[in-house]
Amino acid sequence: MTLAPETTDLKVQLRLGDSWFTICDLNVLLPGRGVAALLPDGRQAAVFRDRTGNLYAVDNRDPFGGAAVLSRGLTGSHQGRPFVASPLLKQRFDLATGQCLDDDTVRITAYEVRAR
Amino acid sequence: MTTDTPTIVLVGHGMVGQRFLEALAERGLTATHRVVVLCEEPRPAYDRVALTSYFSGKTPEDLSMTDMEFIEKHSIELRVGDPAETVDRSSRTVTARSGQTFAYDTLVLATGSYPFVPPVPNKDATGCFVYRTIEDLLAIEEYAKTATTGAVVGGGLLGLEAAGALKGLGLTSHIVEFAPRLMPVQVDEGGGAALLRTIEDMGLSVHTGVGTQEIAVDADGAVTGMKLSDGSELSTDLVVFSAGVRPRDQLARASGLTVGERGGITVDEQCRTVNDPHVFAIGECALAADGRVYGLVAPGYEQAETAAATIAADEASFTGADLSTKLKLLGVDVASFGDAHGTADDCLDVVYSDSRAGLYKKLVIGRDGTLLGGILVGDAEAYGTLRALTGSVPPISPESLVLPAGSGAPAQLGPAALPDDAIICSCNNVRKGTIRDAVTEHRCTTVPEVKKCTKAGTTCGSCVKVLGQLVTAELEAGGVEVDKGLCGCFAQTREELYEIVLALRINTYQDLLDRYGRENARGGDGCEICKPAVASIIASLAPTIGASGYVLDGEQAALQDSNDHFLANLQKNGSYSVVPRIPGGEITPEGLIVIGEIARDFGLYTKITGGQRIDMFGARVEQLPLIWTRLVDAGFESGHAYGKSLRTVKSCVGQTWCRYGVQDSVRMAIDLELRYRGLRSPHKLKSAVSGCARECAEAQSKDFGVIATAGGWNLYVAGNGGATPRHADLLAQDLTDTELIKLIDRFLMFYIRTADRLERTSTWLERIPGGLDHVRDVVVEDSLGICEELETLMAAHVANYRDEWSDTINDPEKLARFVSFVNAPDTPDPVVGFVPERDQIKPDLPLLSIGLRPADDVLEGTAQR
Ligand code: SRM
Ligand SMILES: Cc1cc2nc3c(=O)[nH]c(=O)nc-3n(C[C@H](O)[C@H](O)[C@H](O)COP(=O)(O)OP(=O)(O)OC[C@H]3O[C@@H](n4cnc5c(N)ncnc54)[C@H](O)[C@@H]3O)c2cc1C
Ligand code: SF4
Ligand code: FES
């Protein structure tokens, strides 16, 4: 999918506390795939864009395996909710809330994201 | 909490305790009672039966049986890490370690057992362990890091499991059993012999008929060995005691409740203690009304139900339970059911034994032909059916139930033949009728729904297969169409989607989803099941349907499994492995040197794979393009170790060098590998070519295998190694080179067309109606008239093949994706770290568990691995 030229200079930003942290150009995000971003405090975020253009960001670390790889997982939607499946052992995480869909007791941080 | 709400206090939150809570909730008692649970362990109830799966990668969280939503919804006060210390029956209070006292109207003891440690000198030395809790396993795992040998005291069910776990941790393992055979409780002498053979073949040393007399220790008090009753000494760094369990009845004893001579809290048929109507005992701590203490979870569950029913003033009783068990010990099926040892008068045995194959099957039959019980070792396939038939006269002769298939035995009895009151799930005591009702009355349409509705299949899992068959049979009988769709997004099977894509030349996933997806999935994002499956179909047909043959092009990039997306295999710490193609396993010294230099320059771990090539591990994502630039320059191509596509065509050295060889197997292997490289398929494809019938290349364990004959080549298909090995079937004999290739082209394209996702050729051949004969009809006789099309499709693939790594390193836009961080392309992922091992590197795993999480993410998992 190619983006209309007028949208290409938009930046993807993540909310960290009271401020917005710029990650990358919006056109770097391939619909359905993620990228990882390094945050100022050393944390990592996995940032995704779905086919309708919605943006999501969650912690990049797979809480089951420990590696920082969620940005490399496959995305999809389940009962209308967007998720990413970890590339390690395939647990799915709701992209909007960080809730693990395969284990109620696990939840990862979800961040607010915007393009501007 | 108002004081007039009656209170139930449960002591012990193990498997049975948790089931008791569920039974309370089902009966509505959680609404009318305050429920307090005192849980000694640092975590709520988990699946102890599956404990050992921790060593095969399950995390403590995976093992958990406690749904916190359930606990909250029913306002259960679960006090984790706060065991009961005293019970005062006169004032009806329990005091916990925290010092808090709880008044109860009903007290339920579900304290389980503790492992019995024989009183041998130095039994508490450093390096001695038991095997009961997750904490025990964590401690064993930690200690095993510095050990090389481990010994297990006790050759029963748990002992074998523990020994297998030690072996899995890389230790040389010994089992010391006092009885003359392994698993003395479950199996008889013959079964023990079959088991012994298989277990020794796995590399475990078994010492039966000897006792442990003393643990030998060094000056620091750490284990160095064991002195045995036959005077010998076994040196070992670690000892696991697994010599049986004893009921944890101390709390009851101290409060004046009656306990059995050999332990266990004495209860009546309602699971109420015989002294105090306000106190119940259930699970492994209870001495049931039939005078037994049950060490299995199924009877405990029944007791939990009984106690809950009694508290609700319903009728229920526990009068005894079946001790049938089916286990997979170290990969060996072991099952015993009913009167396994033949204690009834006048009973007769039917025995089938093949100790070479590690098989032993015995049925105990009564005078009148009634099946009384039996033992199965090595192959317990028939367990579900046999157990359900126990107590009745089987409709076919007992011999045919134990003889291996193919020896003139009639077909296996399917679950359809079982009566409605046959127990299908013995862990949860679920009858066939209940499962049928779940489908017909409660409208369950899938196995997960039936599991939820009936609890069948939720414990040891051994009945799930039969469950699936019953559910399908019942749905079909009811005229319900069973949903065979690929996933929640598509109602079609993979085969149907393939036909749609091919016939309509649909070349994007979105187009397929929006036009042929299920109503509510259209316009959506698909899911992790259909995206790679459709990506594979599109890739297999790319030249024919007008899609790009490059898997990272456009939309295709987003559909690929994450390994395909980086054209490399993800490892546990987030690094990747790199496998260049080495066709036929033939490589020049120059080629070896290039690989060696690259691995050295990038600090990679190298290993010769099982597929006759070289794997380099530990590459960071940003190193992949640099590594591949050098490999491509030296003439290497992607080995597709990451793809569901052709992996390797192994070869033996063949006629050129070998004095037995009758054809040039290396040349043929190289030709085949180059022909089918890059071919995307439902699952991976493997092949091999042997130069003569000695079969050094193991061609008969491959998806397509070729063996040279004096007159040409024999083609074998649908072989498999892996977890369920299958010998390949001979498809055609004495073929010329051209005939061979033509048949393989057709065979592969027919498989790609009709197989399910992730279905290897072996399972595919077993599943499709008509099996091998049908495939032979289609690809050899051309019974469907599609061979020409199959060949054309393959020709298009061969003509359009391009190395995807060489495409990638020449495409700056694609290369930009190979970074750890989009906003810091030069910074490597700090979680990817390595430590030295045997002069190379390995992942720094502790780094993963320490993680880099800030403290405020309290809800995050606490996986330790
Ligand atoms: C590297 C290698 C082990 C080694 O160090 O030797 C290996 C490694 C893996 N194998 Fe294998 N297998 C390797 C040879 C084999 C063989 C031997 C052979 O090919 O002759 C077999 C048995 C033959 C067979 O497949 O029938 C084998 C049967 C499996 C299976 C079981 C397949 C089955 O049908 O039961 C899996 C699991 C799966 O694919 O679902 C598997 C899966 C894997 C995975 C992909 C597991 C994973 O997801 O991480 C491993 C990926 C390695 C990586 O990251 O690079 N591997 N694996 C071997 C690579 C061969 C190569 O050069 O490509
Ligand atoms: C490795 C292994 C494999 C097994 N495999 C099988 C199998 O294949 N099939 C099978 O049927 N069974 C199997 N079992 C046995 C099965 O796990 C037990 O039968 C089952 O767990 C019994 O449940 P329970 O609730 O009675 O006891 P437990 O699960 O032991 O739970 C009792 C709990 O009570 C706690 N407790 C004790 N005293 C107190 C106190 N004073 N205050 C608070 N809490 C207390 C304990 O810490 C424990 O958590 C296996 C057991 C092990 C260890
Ligand atoms: S299979 Fe035959 S030709 Fe090949 S190496 Fe073995 S003995 Fe030699
Ligand atoms: S028999 Fe164990 S879960 Fe059904």
Side-chain angles (χ1 to χ4, degrees):
Chain A
M1 190 197 275
T2 37
L3 290 162
E6 60 272 20
T7 64
T8 49
D9 53 355
L10 288 179
K11 302 274 184 210
V12 178
Q13 299 184 322
L14 209 73
R15 188 190 188 103
L16 296 178
D18 296 334
S19 59
W20 290 90
F21 178 69
T22 300
I23 307 278
C24 61
D25 287 344
L26 177 62
N27 65 4
V28 174
L29 284 184
L30 190 66
R33 286 243 93 104
V35 296
L38 189 59
L39 305 185
D41 63 356
R43 286 198 274 185
Q44 302 185 21
V47 186
F48 302 88
R49 169 170 192 217
D50 71 12
R51 92 183 246 204
T52 45
N54 295 322
L55 296 173
Y56 304 97
V58 293
D59 194 40
N60 192 30
R61 184 171 176 272
D62 173 338
F64 295 96
V69 294
L70 289 184
S71 61
R72 303 180 208 164
L74 273 176
T75 60
S77 43
H78 174 69
Q79 296 171 347
R81 303 204 56 95
F83 67 82
V84 60
S86 168
L88 289 173
L89 299 176
K90 314 286 179 214
Q91 290 91 351
R92 295 165 305 161
F93 299 88
D94 185 311
L95 285 176
T97 63
Q99 179 61 48
C100 176
L101 301 177
D102 301 297
D103 184 339
D104 290 348
T105 61
V106 178
R107 183 179 184 143
I108 56 177
T109 309
Y111 296 90
E112 233 180 287
V113 234
R114 68 178 186 192
R116 93 160 35 181
Chain B
M1 212 43 72
T2 53
T3 43
D4 50 5
T5 318
T7 304
I8 300 172
V9 174
L10 169 67
V11 178
H13 192 221
M15 298 183 74
V16 172
Q18 171 62 19
R19 173 55 64 92
F20 172 72
L21 294 177
E22 289 166 19
L24 285 183
E26 273 159 29
R27 291 175 185 277
L29 291 169
T30 44
T32 52
H33 290 66
R34 172 185 183 204
V35 181
V36 178
V37 184
L38 298 175
C39 168
E40 175 186 58
E41 292 190 58
R43 62 190 88 235
Y46 54 88
D47 190 351
R48 207 177 298 288
V49 169
L51 195 61
T52 304
S53 64
Y54 169 76
F55 289 124
S56 51
K58 287 271 176 86
T59 61
E61 287 71 30
D62 294 334
L63 291 175
S64 173
M65 302 182 71
T66 316
D67 177 357
M68 290 316 283
E69 226 170 75
F70 165 86
I71 299 289
E72 275 157 35
K73 181 165 155 229
H74 294 283
S75 315
I76 294 169
E77 297 165 47
L78 175 58
R79 305 182 55 90
V80 174
D82 195 11
E85 290 206 318
T86 51
V87 171
D88 182 344
R89 291 199 291 120
S90 55
S91 64
R92 275 199 240 146
T93 53
V94 181
T95 306
R97 181 184 294 159
S98 61
Q100 282 220 50
T101 297
F102 301 89
Y104 65 80
D105 298 276
T106 306
L107 174 67
V108 178
L109 301 171
T111 47
S113 325
Y114 64 92
F116 169 68
V117 176
V120 294
N122 298 327
K123 65 181 170 52
D124 298 321
T126 312
C128 286
F129 298 92
V130 293
Y131 201 84
R132 176 90 195 166
T133 64
I134 290 183
E135 272 56 43
D136 293 335
L137 267 57
L138 295 174
I140 291 173
E141 186 179 45
E142 185 56 36
Y143 199 79
K145 285 184 189 153
T146 57
T148 55
T149 309
V152 174
V153 178
L157 179 142
L158 294 186
L160 291 182
E161 244 186 75
L166 293 184
K167 181 160 180 280
L169 289 171
L171 307 188
T172 309
S173 311
H174 297 269
I175 302 169
V176 178
E177 167 59 53
F178 189 66
R181 63 171 184 272
L182 293 172
M183 288 188 60
V185 182
Q186 287 84 359
V187 307
D188 61 5
E189 222 171 285
L195 197 59
L196 176 65
R197 175 164 198 106
T198 321
I199 286 179
E200 285 187 330
D201 280 351
M202 287 174 192
L204 280 90
S205 309
V206 180
H207 313 263
T208 47
V210 284
T212 307
Q213 278 191 325
E214 187 181 336
I215 306 295
V217 293
D218 64 13
D220 301 331
V223 173
T224 58
M226 282 164 62
K227 292 193 178 123
L228 304 179
S229 59
D230 61 1
S232 66
E233 197 169 326
L234 184 68
S235 67
T236 184
D237 308 321
L238 183 158
V239 173
V240 176
F241 288 104
S242 180
V245 295
R246 298 286 183 273
R248 289 188 68 173
D249 55 14
Q250 299 87 333
L251 205 57
R253 222 181 263 265
S255 68
L257 291 166
T258 305
V259 296
E261 223 169 90
R262 290 165 53 211
I265 308 165
T266 314
V267 296
D268 62 15
E269 290 188 356
Q270 276 64 49
C271 299
R272 221 188 268 271
T273 55
V274 291
N275 322 73
D276 188 336
H278 297 283
V279 185
F280 291 75
I282 55 178
E284 286 194 341
C285 64
L287 174 63
D290 64 347
R292 297 170 97 150
V293 174
Y294 287 91
L296 292 172
V297 71
Y301 282 177
E302 236 182 287
Q303 294 170 354
E305 302 280 350
T306 305
T310 306
I311 296 169
D314 287 340
E315 294 248 335
S317 60
F318 178 88
T319 52
D322 182 23
L323 288 175
S324 299
T325 34
K326 175 179 164 193
L327 311 151
K328 207 173 188 76
L329 283 170
L330 309 167
V332 189
D333 281 337
V334 179
S336 76
F337 55 95
D339 180 8
H341 292 279
T343 52
D345 287 343
D346 262 8
C347 60
L348 302 162
D349 292 350
V350 174
V351 178
Y352 169 80
S353 138
D354 174 356
S355 30
R356 223 166 40 103
L359 285 180
Y360 175 83
K361 303 180 188 182
K362 179 178 96 171
L363 297 185
V364 180
I365 311 281
R367 255 286 133 88
D368 58 353
T370 309
L371 176 62
L372 298 175
I375 294 169
L376 306 170
V377 177
D379 170 15
E381 182 75 25
Y383 171 72
T385 322
L386 289 174
R387 185 190 56 201
L389 286 171
T390 303
S392 68
V393 180
I396 59 175
S397 78
E399 295 76 27
S400 55
L401 291 169
V402 291
L403 283 175
S407 54
Q412 294 266 313
L413 276 183
L418 296 172
D420 263 356
D421 61 357
I423 295 193
I424 301 298
C425 174
S426 62
C427 287
N428 300 287
N429 209 359
V430 184
R431 291 164 199 282
K432 179 178 163 188
T434 314
I435 292 163
R436 293 183 47 194
D437 288 350
V439 176
T440 50
E441 317 260 306
H442 301 279
R443 314 228 153 270
C444 298
T445 55
T446 63
V447 172
E449 282 168 20
V450 172
K451 278 174 146 181
K452 216 173 192 166
C453 176
T454 64
K455 289 217 157 66
T458 53
T459 311
C460 75
S462 73
C463 59
V464 174
K465 197 171 154 206
V466 177
L467 209 58
Q469 292 166 336
L470 280 176
V471 172
T472 310
E474 206 51 44
L475 285 173
E476 280 171 352
V480 177
E481 213 176 302
V482 183
D483 191 340
K484 300 201 170 89
L486 180 67
C487 61
C489 309
F490 286 100
Q492 299 86 347
T493 61
R494 180 190 172 282
E495 179 179 358
E496 288 161 348
L497 290 175
Y498 177 100
E499 296 298 341
I500 294 172
V501 168
L502 176 61
L504 304 177
R505 302 283 192 268
I506 293 180
N507 56 22
T508 71
Y509 169 82
Q510 272 189 20
D511 194 16
L512 189 68
L513 181 67
D514 294 350
R515 285 164 64 187
Y516 295 94
R518 294 182 199 257
E519 207 63 61
N520 56 2
R522 293 187 188 174
D525 282 285
C527 75
E528 81 284 14
I529 294 172
C530 58
K531 287 205 287 193
V534 171
S536 161
I537 296 176
I538 292 177
S540 303
L541 294 172
T544 310
I545 59 174
S548 162
Y550 174 40
V551 294
L552 297 190
D553 238 4
E555 182 207 38
Q556 289 195 45
L559 306 176
Q560 305 300 330
D561 249 325
S562 52
N563 280 349
D564 296 70
H565 189 239
F566 288 97
L567 306 174
N569 294 47
L570 182 66
Q571 307 296 320
K572 60 205 305 182
N573 66 344
S575 67
Y576 283 91
S577 76
V578 173
V579 189
R581 187 167 295 293
I582 300 180
E586 183 182 270
I587 184 164
T588 60
E590 260 325 301
L592 283 172
I593 289 167
V594 169
I595 291 183
E597 284 175 346
I598 293 174
R600 182 197 56 207
D601 295 352
F602 288 88
L604 306 176
Y605 166 82
T606 53
K607 174 174 184 306
I608 307 293
T609 71
Q612 298 190 343
R613 46 193 191 167
I614 300 168
D615 202 343
M616 294 174 266
F617 293 83
R620 296 166 193 277
V621 64
E622 58 273 15
Q623 291 177 324
L624 290 172
L626 305 173
I627 292 171
W628 272 104
T629 303
R630 286 182 55 181
L631 285 169
V632 169
D633 280 349
F636 286 101
E637 296 187 344
S638 168
H640 294 103
Y642 45 82
K644 300 289 176 257
S645 56
L646 181 80
R647 294 285 166 86
T648 65
V649 182
K650 304 210 273 189
S651 74
C652 77
V653 63
Q655 189 186 36
T656 320
W657 294 86
C658 176
R659 64 204 156 113
Y660 293 114
V662 291
Q663 302 284 351
D664 187 351
S665 47
V666 179
R667 195 233 348 125
M668 181 53 81
I670 295 173
D671 286 355
L672 294 179
E673 183 153 348
L674 296 181
R675 184 168 181 82
Y676 303 118
R677 67 190 157 174
L679 178 67
R680 293 299 203 279
S681 47
H683 206 317
K684 58 192 174 196
L685 289 169
K686 297 181 176 182
S687 177
V689 184
S690 282
C692 84
R694 283 168 193 74
E695 246 283 71
C696 298
E698 301 169 307
Q700 288 171 94
S701 65
K702 299 295 169 210
D703 296 278
F704 58 104
V706 180
I707 301 178
T709 65
W713 307 100
N714 283 355
L715 173 58
Y716 291 81
V717 294
N720 207 153
T724 319
R726 180 180 190 279
H727 256 276
D729 289 306
L730 181 61
L731 187 70
Q733 274 172 290
D734 292 327
L735 304 164
T736 63
D737 287 12
T738 332
E739 288 168 343
L740 175 71
I741 286 171
K742 193 192 263 224
L743 273 191
I744 300 175
D745 282 2
R746 294 173 177 183
F747 172 78
L748 291 179
M749 273 298 166
F750 185 50
Y751 158 70
I752 290 173
R753 178 173 206 141
T754 56
D756 209 347
R757 70 180 264 279
L758 300 184
E759 187 174 47
R760 288 288 291 268
T761 53
S762 59
T763 20
W764 166 74
L765 191 80
E766 304 253 310
R767 172 183 60 85
I768 56 168
L772 179 68
D773 289 339
H774 176 61
V775 171
R776 188 179 284 123
D777 283 348
V778 175
V779 306
V780 183
E781 315 295 340
D782 199 10
S783 62
L784 298 179
I786 57 170
C787 284
E788 203 187 312
E789 185 186 3
L790 297 176
E791 284 172 38
T792 313
L793 288 170
M794 187 64 87
H797 163 76
V798 175
N800 287 282
Y801 164 81
R802 292 167 59 103
D803 173 35
E804 51 207 31
W805 260 115
S806 120
D807 282 351
T808 304
I809 56 174
N810 291 313
D811 183 340
E813 188 249 329
K814 303 292 184 297
L815 285 182
R817 296 180 193 162
F818 289 84
V819 291
S820 288
F821 301 110
V822 68
N823 61 339
D826 299 325
T827 310
D829 177 359
V831 182
V832 177
F834 301 95
V835 291
E837 182 173 72
R838 295 188 296 276
D839 300 331
Q840 298 204 64
I841 56 159
K842 69 170 183 184
D844 183 351
L845 297 180
L847 193 59
L848 297 180
S849 51
I850 303 163
L852 299 162
R853 286 172 297 149
D856 60 2
D857 287 348
V858 280
L859 285 169
E860 255 192 357
T862 49
Q864 316 221 340
R865 310 163 53 90

